[in-house]
Amino acid sequence: MCGIYGYVGHKSEAANTVLDGLKLLEYRGYDSWGVAAKIKDERLEMKGGFLTEKHVGKIGDSHLNFQLSTFNSHLAIGHTRWATHGGVTVANAHPHTDCKAQIAVVHNGIVENFQELKTYLLKKGHKFISETDTEVIPHLIEENLKREGFASSVRDAFNALRGLNAIVAVNAGSSEIVVAKNGSPLIIGIGDQEFFVSSDVIGIVEHTKKVIFLKDLEMVILGNPPAGGIQLLSLPEGNKLEIKPEQITWSYEISTKGKFDDFMIKEIHEQPNVVRNIAGNYTSQIEKLAKEIQNSKGTFFIGAGTAYHAGFSGNYLFSKIAKIHVNTSVASEFNYLEDFLTRDSLIIALSQSGETIDVVEPLNRAKKKGSKIFAITNTLGSTIYRMADYNMLLNAGPEKAVASTKAYIAKVSVILMLAYVLIGKTNEAKNILLKTADEIERLLSETTVDDIKKIAKALSVSKNVYAIGRGVSYPSALEAALKIKEVTYIPTEGLAGGELKHGTIALISKGVPCIVFAPMDETYESVISNAIEIKSRGGVIIGISPKKAEVFDHFVEVKDVDSGSYIAQVVVAQLLAYYMAIDLKLDADKPRNLAKSVTVK
Ligand code: F6R
């Protein structure tokens, strides 16, 4: 979360370069943004000080009113924020500065001991103007500068921080950018007479393909070329390390909305081809993963949010199809379940972005225990991609909407195929996936979408929504609820059909809607009984099923495509969520308080 970008070099438009970089990083947080540029300008009688510009909200078309773009500058840093400490205000936006506004810092992470550091700095007479944890960093550097040089001041300030952090610091008295990281990703781009620093390689590849993926506890000093070079140092000591840049061999696909109004709906429509691609091209990769599962003593799926739901459906699919037990854990909880991990354990990490810190952290700990990591991600070169022993890329294309859709469908397709491959039924899996892709395509036809839009309209005025399913449809219910709540802000709960009567049914009253997943499997009759229980209390039932039941007030037919039904049925929920957001006039692509890449704990 939070995007960091920095530039030092021969170009005189450093502020604009940083702004363009930030636009590419906006998916990491869009509460506010800011840029600090080192300016030499006679109009301002400035001989190397900083001008800082900060705004609340999304970057959007900020070139239109971006004041810093009118000044020459060879060095600038910027930040797009996902708020952790302190509200969404201009004062809390980054960059943050010291008492004299001579040092500027952008930060990704959480300074866990910031209160303690702030108390110490207040006693020393430092003045704070924000509510953020970040602000302690420039003041610490300011304090250190009284007795040492800039780079070592940054190093010592960084060493004093607890938690997982990445920082970029600049100082009016120097033409260097100093970068340090432990946790959140930072990549250095080495160009011709210029350096870049970015939270994601996407912000760098259009300028240079020569990069350094900084490791944890590394620090970099970027001088202004040609005089200033690059130094890589270890933390906490600051010992010199050898620089081994990597050459990026891929380019990024720039995603546009095409004929669609939003990325979310565009990505939903891309799903038939995502599924077909897995059916057609993944056999050998999936066979490799199947072998790893067979050789391991204990397989664990981990993921966050939607990725967790995909893994959780694996519990059921593996049991049902392959008769194999796997464990699935919410990634952020996996640390507390790690005691039984051994060298023979296999962790299958699911992550669209490949950057989620809640996934990265337990993987680091599992690696220390010698367990094997198999990453299933959608992002080449991401942190999880690079740290894994084995990789599988989903190749679903860039997912821009914050709410994950096609990556979920891709992950469940892989897991479903894996379950069949484990019992030698690869061709059966392929046929099921191909039928599933066709069924998703049918669901995306104008007629079905029009029906779904009508249901979405009715749902969008609800105060709360429920979704139930049993067996593999239980994860579908969880995913449906997550999709609806995150893009509509309507409290929505997904639960196992059988759990209703253990408490939640108390919340059902006249007109409360409940989405019921009722595929033609062993759960059909029981889940219909649960629907009847809800209806008896005044609830309104939205049935998603191959077979219309009397209890349904609204019905969306999802044809029976065997175990592929568990994939297709979720697409209806995605469409409901999207059209509800549209009815509510909300930004479906960038829901409030969220970010596409979650890099803080
Ligand atoms: C919900 C959603 C999130 C992500 C979660 C993990 O629609 O997108 O719940 O699934 O933040 O992200 P990745 O898959 O990038 O690790």
Side-chain angles (χ1 to χ4, degrees), residues 264 268 403 452 456 459 479-488 515 571-584 588:
M264 184 175 173
I268 289 173
I452 293 173
L459 284 184
E479 179 55 10
L482 180 60
K483 239 32 359 144
I484 293 173
K485 74 178 107 172
E486 72 182 317
V487 300
T488 68
I515 296 167
V571 176
V572 178
Q574 296 170 343
L575 288 166
L576 281 172
Y578 174 74
Y579 287 110
M580 285 168 77
I582 297 306
D583 280 322
L584 292 164

Side-chain angles (χ1 to χ4, degrees), residues 357-384:
I357 195 78
D358 291 322
V359 183
V360 173
E361 225 212 340
L363 290 184
N364 270 325
R365 293 161 69 118
K367 263 174 100 97
K368 284 193 188 128
K369 293 194 155 202
S371 307
K372 290 215 175 62
I373 315 289
F374 200 113
I376 303 183
T377 70
N378 197 33
T379 315
L380 189 64
S382 58
T383 302
I384 295 172

Side-chain angles (χ1 to χ4, degrees), residues 1 264 303-309 350-359 376-379 384 399 401-405 407-408 411 479 482-483 486-487 594-598:
M1 290 177 140
M264 184 175 173
T306 288
Y308 163 68
H309 297 156
L350 300 159
S351 175
Q352 190 286 129
S353 62
E355 293 295 352
T356 303
I357 195 78
D358 291 322
V359 183
I376 303 183
T377 70
N378 197 33
T379 315
I384 295 172
E399 195 179 64
V402 165
S404 183
T405 53
Y408 173 83
K411 286 174 207 141
E479 179 55 10
L482 180 60
K483 239 32 359 144
E486 72 182 317
V487 300
L594 292 171
K596 187 70 183 157
S597 183
V598 183

Side-chain angles (χ1 to χ4, degrees), residues 174 324 343:
S174 123
I324 286 180
R343 300 183 67 77

Side-chain angles (χ1 to χ4, degrees), residues 384-518:
I384 295 172
Y385 180 89
R386 281 179 294 109
M387 73 194 292
D389 300 297
Y390 313 101
N391 271 295
M392 186 189 296
L393 275 176
L394 293 168
N395 285 315
E399 195 179 64
K400 300 280 280 181
V402 165
S404 183
T405 53
K406 58 180 177 172
Y408 173 83
I409 296 297
K411 286 174 207 141
V412 182
S413 301
V414 165
I415 291 169
L416 184 143
M417 185 153 163
L418 186 56
Y420 281 97
V421 168
L422 278 162
I423 50 163
K425 293 193 172 173
T426 309
N427 284 339
E428 192 174 331
K430 286 184 182 177
N431 288 336
I432 290 173
L433 286 181
L434 291 175
K435 277 195 290 177
T436 306
D438 291 346
E439 178 55 8
I440 298 176
E441 199 142 271
R442 191 191 66 80
L443 291 169
L444 294 170
S445 68
E446 216 175 306
T447 341
T448 320
V449 168
D450 281 348
D451 290 345
I452 293 173
K453 278 183 185 168
K454 284 180 203 134
I455 304 173
K457 203 171 207 71
L459 284 184
S460 63
V461 295
S462 311
K463 288 218 164 45
N464 45 4
V465 177
Y466 295 88
I468 60 167
R470 285 171 168 255
V472 200
S473 302
Y474 170 30
S476 301
L478 294 177
E479 179 55 10
L482 180 60
K483 239 32 359 144
I484 293 173
K485 74 178 107 172
E486 72 182 317
V487 300
T488 68
Y489 318 146
I490 297 174
T492 307
E493 190 179 340
L495 63 168
E499 277 293 286
L500 259 177
K501 56 190 173 298
H502 298 292
T504 309
I505 202 159
L507 304 177
I508 303 292
S509 59
K510 195 166 179 326
V512 172
C514 182
I515 296 167
V516 176
F517 289 102

